[in-house]
Amino acid sequence: MRTALARCWARLGWRGLALASSGVAWVSYGASITVQPRYGTVRGISVLLDLMCMAAWGWLWIAAGLLALAFSLVRPGRDLPGVGAAMGPPLLWSLAYALGGLSGASSTAWGSVAPWASHALLIAIVAYLTRPRLIVPRMVPRGAE
């Protein structure tokens, strides 16, 4: 059991764990808003409902979550679609809540802007801190310095 966990951790690392946890969260959140959206969510993101119905937005969250989950197992540097999938929906939701608050659709929408944006920011921080280091070849021969 310990060997399997060590192998799994070696494959995932912090970056993969961030993508996997976001993926699971987005799949479950998407399923919940597809099946039975909350009134406050519908009111807060009303600016997006002119583009697609709530069920379609739920499926978008599910797709983004599955993409983030799939790319959680990929080597850092090749997982950028997963990073984008983990960051995209909360950034979109944050923007929608900001617009909902500004348009007057929901007087409490402003309270959801920072929580959604902060999740995207945390993914960006993890992606930056765990980015692959570039190896720059030495261009000047030794002794010529």
Side-chain angles (χ1 to χ4, degrees):
M1 176 74 170
R2 193 173 285 207
T3 308
L5 285 175
R7 240 182 322 179
C8 182
W9 180 251
R11 183 75 172 163
L12 280 177
W14 290 111
R15 187 179 181 110
L17 183 61
L19 290 179
S21 64
S22 291
V24 169
W26 297 166
V27 168
S28 64
Y29 183 72
S32 77
I33 64 173
T34 300
V35 174
Q36 188 172 7
R38 291 181 295 276
Y39 175 71
T41 303
V42 172
R43 226 175 65 191
I45 64 146
S46 61
V47 295
L48 291 180
L49 295 178
D50 293 337
L51 302 173
M52 292 190 313
C53 67
M54 197 62 164
W57 286 112
W59 281 106
L60 183 86
W61 278 83
I62 292 169
L66 292 174
L67 195 63
L69 265 172
F71 277 92
S72 69
L73 299 171
V74 177
R75 224 177 25 191
R78 297 184 186 262
D79 60 354
L80 292 180
V83 172
M87 290 177 61
L91 282 177
L92 180 66
W93 240 231
S94 181
L95 177 64
Y97 275 111
L99 293 174
L102 290 173
S103 71
S106 173
S107 60
T108 58
W110 61 269
S112 295
V113 174
W116 285 115
S118 69
H119 186 87
L121 179 63
L122 288 174
I123 294 296
I125 290 169
V126 169
Y128 176 77
L129 292 175
T130 59
R131 72 192 183 283
R133 303 290 186 241
L134 297 176
I135 299 172
V136 180
R138 192 170 186 88
M139 300 305 286
V140 179
R142 292 205 185 269
E145 300 159 345

